[in-house]
Amino acid sequence: MSMRERTQEASLPTPSLPEWEETAQSEEREGDEFSQSIQRALDVLAETQAEDGSWRGDYGGPLFLLPMYVATHWLTGEPLPESTRQGMLQYIQSVQNEDGGWGLDEVSSSLVFTTSINYVALRFLGASADEDAAVRARAWLHQHGGPVGSASWGKLLLAVLNLYDYEGVDPVQPELWLLPKFLPFHPTRLWCHARMVYLPMSYLYGMRATQPLSPLVEELRAELYPQPYDTIQWSSCRGKVASTDATYPRSGLIRMAHKVMSGYEAIRRKSWRERSLALTLEHIRYEDEQTHYICIGPVNKVLNTWVWHFANPEGPELQAHLKALPLYQWETPNGIKMQGYNSSQLWDTTFAVQAMLTAQGHQSHPNTYKQAMDFIDNNQVLEDPPEAETYARHEANGGWPFSTLDHGWPISDCTAEGAKTVMTAEDHTGEALEPARLRASIKWILGMQNKDGGWATYEPTRGPNWLELLNPSDVFGNIMIDYSHVECSSACIQALVQYKDRAPESLQKPIERAIQRGVHFLSQVQRNDGAWLGGWGVCFTYGTWFGVWGLLAAGVPATDKRIQQACEFLVSHQRKDGGWSESTESCHTGHYTETDESQPIRTAWALMALIAAGWKEDNAIQQGLHYLRHTQQEDGTWPEEHIAGIFNQTCAIHYDNYGKIFPLWALALAQQKTQTQGFH
Ligand code: LAN
């Protein structure tokens, strides 16, 4: 049965004994409408493309970021423009929970950590302590014991602001960087994001960086705590975490490590501290310079700025940091927030182009297509970091980053999607990326494969799994080492498969082997119910889309049990209206959980898996397409949906452009399948 027939079946009541001509006409109408949906979605992409050829969008969501941004201006005395100040105030108030607190992200329940620092930010931005938002926040905070129960990051941030005593901060010492490199817990073994966050933290802790007291700080000390500030027994606050903040209760090992480190802190040698501060500052400088002061992520961006404020307040480093800070700002109708990265531009653009190519959008929207390709072309990393070994950097030549070349840290799946995009573009248009550059990207992918056959994010895994027992964050899961992920692995397999026919003889074998090992990894991490758990998108629909595409690309037949089970899993969660509605809760609990309504992006992910697998049962594809077509709005967009991204199992993050890309891609894929091979 063709897709048109099936779509018609889902969307129209079956006529009793239709004349064949009538059927043919209505099929044609359906087909036209289908094409129109695709055209309208392509128009939206064209209309929303940024000048540099990429797509930019809201990449916010975590609620610990903006307070850090605001505090940077407070610390350095650099004034915020008035409209920015107001926009930030508006945003903080718009994401306050009904109970008066703030969650880890825009959709989660209140934590002491984020409530404390958002409260401080409100006051730094000029809100008075008597305002309703502040009164409600204080009530929540006092009920939960005040900042002494904050997750660890909150305590350190408050300590720098002189709103918490360093005696009550669990130690994070710069001397760890002086340890021999072969130790499995040497900082260079950590996931680069954890490494780059704890690096400036250890500097600030090591020098006990503290802002001088001021009248507002005195007021805040009185407002934040349920008890008088001077009566707090700080050393007993170490290790204390309120139940709201103890998402990952501390292991015996980290408790023991903290005890040892506290013991060391009492007897430490001055010269070791000085040496380690100098060494960590050198690493911080390197990271700043390599990333043009953008830094690998939002947290180390702010913390590195703070480091320079204390280390060299009049120096050029602080100025360079302040200049780059607004790259993290994003304005929404709800006010101004700080984003989770300097943008998601490269990542979104590779998907947008792949969706366009599937929809033949390079023909209907040639300028949009060309500019997007230029962006991808201009943002490939073409050199390795200097002195990579000294600074524990993995090679980078050939990789693509998540945001921009200036940021510069390449990532496995961003590189794979970049490579896939340029190869698919070549297949469609004949225009190719310079072969040496494409080859470099593939070699980089090959060099990133882990021993388990999978791919992690920025670096091959460097440390043992048990390092997770030393996770001191309280609120984030899986941050200690760079783990292999289904998404990264699938994307890398797809890129390698696509490259195989273009590969020089010398690379044929290594590529073939890497693909087989990758397939082994994907099979290993598939769950018994057929699903894959996504790490970076919500959640099973996202992970399963990647799992299925990875296996299919590697030549696993659609009839294989692994693919069949994955499809059955997806179909078993399809709703009556044809859509899928998975919620962020799935990522926290590991069980498929739904929101109140179907969501276009999740629906597109599930459909893309089913369509690629040629799923025949239950009219599932037709109903899904029907849902997508009928939820598309007049202007070609889909209604805004629940937050679609996640990281470290707990924190939700917006991927604004996904709503423009994935429904389009799913529709285009369905149309392409009909045209090329009949639907099945
Ligand atoms: C990101 C953003 C991109 C994302 C994808 C490329 C989508 C993914 O497939 C691999 C992982 C990656 C690179 C990723 C990892 C975690 C990040 C960097 C983030 C979600 C953006 C912000 C987050 C970072 C860790 C936030 C700071 C918090 C810490 C716990 C250190």
Side-chain angles (χ1 to χ4, degrees):
M1 196 185 278
S2 80
M3 184 209 60
R4 283 191 201 163
E5 281 164 337
R6 290 181 144 249
T7 313
Q8 182 196 6
E9 233 181 47
S11 56
L12 299 170
T14 321
S16 56
L17 284 186
E19 294 288 326
W20 70 267
E21 298 103 284
E22 272 179 40
T23 314
Q25 274 172 10
S26 78
E27 270 180 29
E28 218 164 84
R29 258 201 320 275
E30 273 284 306
D32 284 351
E33 285 171 17
F34 206 90
S35 299
Q36 280 165 17
S37 281
I38 291 175
Q39 281 312 311
R40 278 188 295 148
L42 283 170
D43 291 343
V44 171
L45 274 186
E47 284 153 17
T48 53
Q49 187 177 32
E51 246 171 43
D52 62 7
S54 74
W55 280 268
R56 296 210 60 182
D58 181 355
Y59 196 57
L63 297 188
F64 47 91
L65 300 178
L66 186 57
M68 297 179 67
Y69 194 116
V70 171
T72 307
H73 281 269
W74 168 259
L75 278 176
T76 58
E78 182 76 15
L80 276 168
E82 179 53 20
S83 58
T84 310
R85 184 188 71 81
Q86 280 180 12
M88 290 180 168
L89 259 180
Q90 185 198 348
Y91 175 72
I92 292 182
Q93 295 188 10
S94 78
V95 289
Q96 186 173 23
N97 284 336
E98 290 222 330
D99 62 13
W102 282 267
L104 189 66
D105 56 49
E106 291 176 7
V107 293
S108 58
S109 54
S110 305
L111 300 187
V112 174
F113 164 33
T114 33
T115 303
S116 307
I117 59 175
N118 275 284
Y119 182 87
V120 171
L122 266 187
R123 299 279 283 117
F124 282 170
L125 288 168
S128 108
D130 305 326
E131 265 173 44
D132 180 54
V135 173
R136 290 192 300 121
R138 266 198 322 273
W140 188 92
L141 198 54
H142 291 183
Q143 238 173 46
H144 291 82
V148 299
S150 164
S152 56
W153 290 15
K155 293 182 179 182
L156 186 79
L157 299 176
L158 292 176
V160 178
L161 300 172
N162 213 343
L163 294 169
Y164 189 91
D165 197 293
Y166 273 102
E167 259 304 284
V169 175
D170 286 307
V172 39
Q173 283 132 344
E175 282 86 342
L176 287 168
W177 286 84
L178 297 177
L179 293 172
K181 281 204 175 136
F182 64 78
L183 288 173
F185 50 86
H186 189 274
T188 53
R189 305 282 190 129
L190 299 181
W191 182 37
C192 53
H193 275 281
R195 181 164 91 233
M196 286 297 153
V197 165
Y198 285 103
L199 174 68
M201 278 190 178
S202 71
Y203 186 90
L204 295 166
Y205 177 85
M207 72 168 289
R208 299 290 192 277
T210 315
Q211 186 70 351
L213 267 182
S214 66
L216 182 54
V217 169
E218 303 253 25
E219 284 174 33
L220 277 166
R221 282 178 167 193
E223 292 162 23
L224 285 168
Y225 294 85
Q227 66 275 61
Y229 191 81
D230 296 335
T231 64
I232 299 171
Q233 269 286 330
W234 292 106
S235 60
S236 69
C237 300
R238 256 180 268 149
K240 202 181 242 177
V241 191
S243 59
T244 46
D245 291 40
T247 319
Y248 295 93
R250 296 190 186 173
S251 69
L253 194 63
I254 181 81
R255 283 171 199 276
M256 208 169 76
H258 277 153
K259 281 211 176 98
V260 173
M261 288 156 85
S262 293
Y264 168 79
E265 201 55 23
I267 57 152
R268 74 188 144 87
R269 290 248 297 268
K270 203 168 156 230
S271 61
W272 291 352
R273 180 62 39 108
E274 277 166 7
R275 257 180 62 209
S276 62
L277 284 175
L279 180 65
T280 45
L281 192 62
E282 188 189 318
H283 278 262
I284 289 167
R285 180 189 293 285
Y286 179 86
E287 157 75 351
D288 290 343
E289 287 175 356
Q290 287 310 304
T291 62
H292 302 85
Y293 290 85
I294 294 169
C295 296
I296 192 172
V299 178
N300 82 320
K301 161 66 191 167
V302 167
L303 293 178
N304 286 10
T305 311
W306 292 15
V307 163
W308 289 114
H309 165 67
F310 289 101
N312 192 10
E314 303 302 325
E317 301 90 351
L318 179 62
Q319 287 316 312
H321 261 299
L322 290 173
K323 203 165 150 230
L325 194 57
L327 291 173
Y328 280 89
Q329 249 186 55
W330 189 257
E331 196 166 344
T332 73
N334 291 339
I336 297 176
K337 56 172 88 170
M338 181 177 183
Q339 306 198 94
Y341 221 87
N342 62 320
S343 76
S344 54
Q345 277 162 281
L346 190 285
W347 179 248
D348 289 341
T349 306
T350 62
F351 284 137
V353 172
Q354 291 182 77
M356 282 190 84
L357 288 165
T358 312
Q360 305 297 324
H362 58 296
Q363 288 168 355
S364 59
H365 297 75
N367 289 338
T368 309
Y369 165 76
K370 185 171 175 319
Q371 284 175 29
M373 286 306 289
D374 285 347
F375 182 83
I376 295 171
D377 189 274
N378 292 334
N379 283 278
Q380 186 182 16
V381 182
L382 296 175
E383 45 190 30
D384 287 326
E387 300 175 84
E389 205 175 323
T390 311
Y391 295 101
R393 281 292 307 267
H394 189 70
E395 53 208 41
N397 179 24
W400 269 279
F402 179 66
S403 53
T404 54
L405 178 60
D406 275 353
H407 176 289
W409 281 79
I411 302 168
S412 65
D413 52 2
C414 301
T415 303
E417 296 300 343
K420 279 170 61 192
T421 307
V422 297
M423 287 187 277
T424 310
E426 184 185 353
D427 294 344
H428 278 75
T429 66
E431 265 182 64
L433 184 76
E434 198 186 305
R437 282 175 54 184
L438 181 59
R439 193 163 56 242
S441 75
I442 297 295
K443 280 189 163 167
W444 190 79
I445 289 174
L446 285 173
M448 281 284 293
Q449 190 169 27
N450 273 330
K451 288 206 182 76
D452 63 9
W455 277 263
T457 60
Y458 295 76
E459 291 157 349
T461 310
R462 295 177 173 186
N465 279 2
W466 60 259
L467 270 188
E468 206 55 49
L469 294 172
L470 290 172
N471 179 346
S473 75
D474 304 309
V475 290
F476 302 110
N478 287 356
I479 61 164
M480 295 301 281
I481 57 170
D482 205 340
Y483 296 90
S484 292
H485 294 279
V486 55
E487 298 96 320
C488 303
S489 307
S490 165
C492 290
I493 292 171
Q494 292 174 53
L496 292 176
V497 170
Q498 210 171 343
Y499 186 71
K500 226 171 59 179
D501 292 341
R502 301 162 158 87
E505 186 65 30
S506 61
L507 280 182
Q508 291 283 348
K509 275 223 174 88
I511 288 179
E512 188 50 50
R513 244 180 65 79
I515 295 169
Q516 289 323 318
R517 290 174 54 217
V519 166
H520 178 74
F521 171 79
L522 289 184
S523 310
Q524 288 289 311
V525 295
Q526 186 177 23
R527 301 177 3 143
N528 289 338
D529 60 8
W532 280 269
L533 184 87
W536 311 108
V538 174
C539 171
F540 292 107
T541 36
Y542 186 67
T544 305
W545 164 49
F546 276 105
V548 167
W549 274 32
L551 291 184
L552 286 173
V556 173
T559 48
D560 185 279
K561 202 168 138 219
R562 289 164 286 183
I563 309 256
Q564 290 292 310
Q565 281 186 338
C567 292
E568 277 161 21
F569 172 88
L570 290 172
V571 171
S572 73
H573 292 291
Q574 188 173 26
R575 290 158 67 96
K576 281 216 179 70
D577 63 4
W580 278 260
S581 71
E582 193 178 6
S583 87
T584 41
E585 214 34 45
S586 288
C587 316
H588 308 321
T589 61
H591 302 291
Y592 189 94
T593 318
E594 305 206 20
T595 56
D596 40 0
E597 303 187 312
S598 294
Q599 311 280 318
I601 300 169
R602 279 71 148 169
T603 302
W605 288 332
L607 276 179
M608 285 163 67
L610 294 173
I611 293 169
W615 185 251
K616 297 191 178 96
E617 317 290 323
D618 316 322
N619 267 344
I621 295 178
Q622 289 63 41
Q623 288 172 16
L625 294 171
H626 177 85
Y627 166 82
L628 280 187
R629 287 205 28 234
H630 289 82
T631 46
Q632 189 181 26
Q633 305 172 123
E634 268 305 300
D635 64 0
T637 62
W638 275 267
E640 211 181 297
E641 72 172 65
H642 286 251
I643 204 156
I646 192 93
F647 60 88
N648 302 121
Q649 292 171 347
T650 53
C651 195
I653 189 158
H654 286 286
Y655 283 81
D656 229 12
N657 293 313
Y658 281 7
K660 291 176 211 145
I661 298 170
F662 289 111
L664 162 66
W665 199 350
L667 292 177
L669 197 65
Q671 190 177 55
Q672 187 191 55
K673 286 266 168 173
T674 322
Q675 284 161 357
T676 55
Q677 30 188 272
F679 204 52
H680 304 309

